[in-house]
Amino acid sequence: MRRLAGGLLVAAATLALPAVLDDSALAVYILLGLAAMVTVGVSLLMGYAGQVSLGQGAFYAIGAYTAALLALGGVPPLAGLIAAPLVAAASALVIGTPLLRLRGHHLAFATLAMQLILLSVAGQMEFTGGDIGLQAIPQFGIGSWEMSSAAAYAYLTWAGVALVMLVTYNVSTSRPGRALRALATSETAAASSGIPVGRYKLAVFALSAAFAGLAGSIYCFYTGYVAPGSFPVLISIQYIVMAVVGGLGTIWGAVVGATAITLLVQGLNIVGALPGMPTYAPSVLSYAVYALVLILVVLFLPQGLLPALTRRLPSRVRARS
């Protein structure tokens, strides 16, 4: 009952916020939701399957470019929204078949190289707009109705977050989810138990890519513009930090981590824009704070913010009683 009440409270707050936030705050709210969508996939990939990926930004870009190209080609935006996660998942299947033979930091560097190659190719291709990118992307809509307000995109974004969380919950509580946890503990032991290790690793890699592709498609419709510069390497590192800070292997932890890091970055941007600060201050502060937050969390909250809070609250209740 407590979980149900907490879920209903969070859902009510999520639906109420777009009606009271101004446009600048709504932009942060939408970007927070998009980051949470990708971070849930990262938490599933790293926390449940034990696979480290520094290339989730690549699938975010694939989803954005897919939806943008289809919309600019006259395809209904709804079809582009549906096609984006499918194309991202298919790309993950193709890319992951050779890459997932690697483990640990080798896999992390390989996925990072994948994103760098993708961005380089997108910057050279004519149909992707090169370094300039794609502009004047149509607004998302169904039939004759189009989204014309940031509040509408906020509802669409958080509906996507709810869908991603629901899918992740069903996967994590199913038999394949238990197999993924065994795989993260020991691939050798999982294989000896009859678990198809390669197939499950590829499936969860594709599922996390689909989540990123869905977020990318919403991003392209919201901004109306995509370019290689929209998906820097830092964005993939940001998703890792969000997942670790919130708590790897937890669904709500990904949302908590995305919220904490997004608000922190926005605060740093405000500080970096103060009079007298150099133009490179926001980016330098972001890199420094990512490193500092990650070190502090690993040292003092190794399981993340959410698991630490859920452990301490019951102990305080017992102490009071």
Side-chain angles (χ1 to χ4, degrees):
M1 290 300 294
R2 287 197 299 268
R3 290 183 179 181
L4 179 60
L8 291 176
L9 181 61
V10 171
T14 302
L15 293 174
L17 281 175
V20 298
L21 296 177
D22 57 20
D23 288 342
S24 60
L26 271 175
V28 176
Y29 190 56
I30 293 169
L31 294 177
L32 191 159
L34 296 176
M37 211 179 302
V38 184
T39 307
V40 170
V42 172
S43 183
L44 177 65
L45 182 64
M46 295 180 61
Y48 285 90
Q51 306 302 308
V52 181
S53 173
L54 292 176
Q56 291 303 105
F59 301 115
Y60 189 57
I62 288 173
Y65 272 106
T66 299
L69 288 170
L70 290 176
L72 291 171
V75 178
L78 180 60
L81 186 72
I82 297 172
L86 298 178
V87 172
S91 302
L93 291 175
V94 174
I95 297 170
T97 300
L99 288 190
L100 291 178
R101 298 177 183 272
L102 304 173
R103 298 182 183 179
H105 64 278
H106 296 96
L107 176 61
F109 288 138
T111 53
L112 179 62
M114 171 197 67
Q115 181 174 349
L116 293 173
I117 293 171
L118 176 69
L119 294 178
S120 177
V121 171
Q124 299 296 324
M125 292 294 178
E126 184 178 351
F127 73 94
T128 60
D131 290 329
I132 298 176
L134 301 174
Q135 305 178 27
I137 300 171
Q139 296 286 329
F140 179 79
I142 300 175
S144 59
W145 175 77
E146 289 187 354
M147 284 189 176
S148 57
S149 65
Y153 278 101
Y155 288 123
L156 176 64
T157 299
W158 284 93
V161 174
L163 175 63
V164 164
M165 294 176 69
L166 179 62
V167 172
T168 304
Y169 174 78
N170 288 329
V171 169
S172 63
T173 55
S174 64
R175 184 176 180 180
R178 293 189 292 272
L180 287 175
R181 294 194 180 196
L183 186 155
T185 303
S186 172
E187 291 187 13
T188 304
S192 65
S193 302
I195 297 173
V197 173
R199 190 188 311 165
Y200 275 25
K201 286 168 63 176
L202 194 58
V204 73
F205 190 63
L207 183 60
S208 65
F211 293 165
L214 177 61
S217 63
I218 297 175
Y219 172 81
C220 88
F221 288 124
Y222 172 62
T223 59
Y225 169 76
V226 291
S230 305
F231 315 99
V233 174
L234 179 61
I235 199 171
S236 292
I237 299 174
Q238 178 178 310
Y239 297 141
I240 299 292
V241 174
M242 288 176 177
V244 173
V245 168
L248 284 174
T250 61
I251 301 173
W252 282 104
V255 180
V256 170
T259 302
I261 297 300
T262 300
L263 295 180
L264 180 61
V265 169
Q266 292 301 316
L268 292 174
N269 289 336
I270 294 174
V271 172
L274 292 175
M277 297 293 288
T279 56
Y280 54 82
S283 59
V284 171
L285 288 174
S286 296
Y287 279 108
V289 169
Y290 284 156
L292 179 61
V293 169
L294 196 57
I295 291 171
L296 291 176
V297 169
V298 170
L299 287 177
F300 300 106
L301 299 172
Q303 293 184 340
L305 286 175
L306 188 63
L309 291 174
T310 54
R311 283 199 312 270
R312 291 181 180 181
L313 287 177
S315 62
R316 290 182 180 181
V317 172
R318 287 195 299 269
R320 290 178 181 176
S321 60

